[in-house]
Amino acid sequence: MNAAARVLVVDDSATMRGLITAVLRSDPEVDVVGQAGDAMEARAAIKALNPDVVTLDIEMPNMNGLDFLEKIMTLRPMPVIMVSTMTHRGADATLAALEIGAFDCVGKPSPGEPHPFGDLAEKVKAAARSQRQYVKPVAERAPPAPAVADFRVGRKIVAIGSSTGGVEALINVLQKFPANCPPTVITQHMPPTFTRSFAERLNRLCAPVVEEATDGARLAIGKIYLAPGGERHLRIANSSAPHCRLVEGAPVNGHRPSVDVLFDSVAELAGRNAVGVILTGMGRDGAAGLLKMRHAGARTIGQNEKTCVVYGMPRVAHELGAVEHQFPLNAIGEEILKITAARKEGSE
C-alpha cells in the first residue's frame, strides 16, 4: 500500500480550511499535515512539514495565491491545487495559475451544496503521484508562425479530449495551428464558469479563432470549438453540414461534458475523415470513444507518458488499442497538421 498523500491546506478562511480538511480526511489515503491562513504561514509550513501537495486559495491577504504560486514554482516546485471562486474573475485567475504550473483547480462550493469538493481527494492523490515537469508560464504573445509552411487544409475534422494538465497541453498544441487550421472540437474537463474564459484565453494566444461551442455552430476551417462546462455534452451532427450540438444527458465516466460522447459522435459522423487526440488527464474518459474512432478509420494520437501531467486517459486509450501513435506533447500539433493537410493532388 502506498503512503498517504501529505497535504497542506492554505486558505484565509478558517471555515474553508476546516471544510477542505474534513473532505480530505474522509479519504484514508490522504493525510492533512497542516493548515495555513496566508502566504507567510504557508511558507513556514512548507519548510517545516515538507508536504507532497498544497491546496491554495487564490484570493488571500498580504500576498495573493498567484504571487505565492509563482514563488513556489521558482523556489520549490511542487504540486499545487488551486481553490477558486466559481466566477469569471476566479476563472481568469485560475487559468493564469494553471499556466504558471498549478496541477489542477477546484471551485469553492456554493451554500448548501451536498458534496462540496467532490473529487478533491482524488486530485490530491493524483498530484502526489505525479512526476510532472514544471514549466515557466506561457507568455502573452502574438500567434506563432504556422508549423507547416503554406499549409493547405484538407477535409478532416480534429477532435481533442483532455483533463488534468490540459490547459498547458492545449495551449502547446493549438499554438502550432495556422489560422486556416482544420475544424477542431475539444472537450476539456473544467468547471462550468471556466470554459468561456479559457476559450477567450486560447483565442488571444492562437492564430485560429477559438470560441466556446454553441448549439448549432457550424464547423468551419480556421475555427476551434471548446465544449462549455456544466450541464450538457458536446456532440457533432449532420454529415453534410457538420455542426455542434449541445445535448442533455447524465455524466459519462463522471464527466459532463464527456470526451467519450464527443469522440463517439465524431466516429459516427466523420469516420476516416477525422483525427482523434487524447491528452493528459485523470481517469479513462475518451479511451472507448477514441477506440470507436480508430475502428471507424480515423487517425488517432495519444500524448506519451513522459510529457503528461497525469498519464491516465492516454494510458487507458493506449492499453485498449485506441491509440495509433503516441507522441511527446511538443510534437502533437505538428503531427495533426501533417495528417490533416490537403494532398498535393487535391484535398483528401
Side-chain angles (χ1 to χ4, degrees):
M1 181 177 177
N2 293 330
R6 304 174 71 258
V7 190
L8 174 68
V9 175
V10 184
D11 198 295
D12 67 319
S13 164
T15 300
M16 192 59 64
R17 291 197 302 271
L19 177 58
I20 293 171
T21 297
V23 168
L24 292 177
R25 283 182 172 161
S26 67
D27 190 315
E29 297 178 355
V30 177
D31 179 17
V32 178
V33 296
Q35 299 181 10
D38 60 25
M40 293 295 290
E41 290 181 11
R43 184 168 60 182
I46 289 172
K47 289 181 179 179
L49 301 171
N50 192 30
D52 300 318
V53 183
V54 170
T55 71
L56 178 61
D57 184 18
I58 283 185
E59 297 182 1
M60 296 190 301
N62 302 321
M63 180 186 294
N64 66 44
L66 281 181
D67 291 339
F68 186 51
L69 176 67
E70 285 199 90
K71 289 187 178 298
I72 291 175
M73 291 304 159
T74 300
L75 302 174
R76 192 199 184 286
M78 63 186 301
V80 176
I81 296 176
M82 306 305 294
V83 180
S84 169
T85 56
M86 302 290 280
T87 63
H88 186 82
R89 178 182 172 187
D92 288 342
T94 302
L95 291 170
L98 291 169
E99 292 178 31
I100 290 168
F103 178 84
D104 208 339
C105 65
V106 294
K108 289 188 174 181
S110 54
E113 190 169 325
H115 302 291
F117 299 113
D119 62 350
L120 177 57
E122 291 302 318
K123 289 185 177 182
V124 163
K125 290 186 289 186
R129 293 190 300 265
S130 171
Q131 298 181 6
R132 63 158 299 149
Q133 297 178 347
Y134 293 92
V135 296
K136 294 180 180 179
V138 177
E140 188 81 48
R141 55 185 178 270
V148 177
D150 302 320
F151 179 76
R152 292 189 306 123
V153 65
R155 296 179 180 177
K156 293 188 185 296
I157 294 171
V158 177
I160 303 175
S162 52
S163 186
T164 306
V167 168
E168 291 174 89
L170 287 168
I171 289 172
N172 185 298
V173 170
L174 299 180
Q175 282 194 320
K176 306 284 176 59
F177 281 22
N180 62 331
C181 72
T184 301
V185 286
I186 300 170
T187 290
Q188 156 73 33
H189 299 155
M190 188 171 276
T193 54
F194 288 13
T195 45
R196 178 168 295 181
S197 292
F198 187 36
E200 292 169 354
R201 177 72 171 150
L202 288 171
N203 192 51
R204 292 193 297 270
L205 290 172
C206 304
V209 174
V210 185
E211 60 189 37
E212 194 176 43
T214 56
D215 192 53
R218 186 165 178 174
L219 301 195
I221 291 171
K223 282 200 168 186
I224 298 169
Y225 308 84
L226 179 69
E231 300 303 316
R232 294 183 289 179
H233 296 287
L234 173 62
R235 291 180 56 88
I236 302 305
N238 193 340
S239 58
S240 60
H243 60 267
C244 298
R245 291 298 313 277
L246 299 179
V247 299
E248 304 288 340
V252 175
N253 299 315
H255 298 284
R256 185 172 55 206
S258 161
V259 181
D260 267 332
V261 172
L262 175 62
F263 284 177
D264 285 353
S265 70
V266 175
E268 295 166 6
L269 178 81
R272 63 188 298 271
N273 290 318
V275 180
V277 182
I278 193 158
L279 301 176
T280 173
M282 290 170 53
R284 60 183 305 114
D285 191 30
L290 193 69
L291 183 61
K292 288 184 180 179
M293 287 187 66
R294 188 172 187 188
H295 285 165
R299 304 290 301 276
T300 60
I301 294 170
Q303 186 177 347
N304 71 357
E305 181 175 6
K306 185 176 180 180
T307 61
C308 280
V309 171
V310 179
Y311 187 57
M313 290 160 49
R315 176 186 60 78
V316 177
H318 181 67
E319 290 174 352
L320 285 178
V323 175
E324 183 181 358
H325 295 291
Q326 286 189 317
F327 293 98
L329 179 60
N330 285 337
I332 290 176
E334 294 180 9
E335 190 64 28
I336 293 170
L337 296 184
K338 290 177 186 177
I339 296 171
T340 58
R343 295 177 180 174
K344 291 182 179 179
E345 65 269 20
S347 296
E348 290 181 299

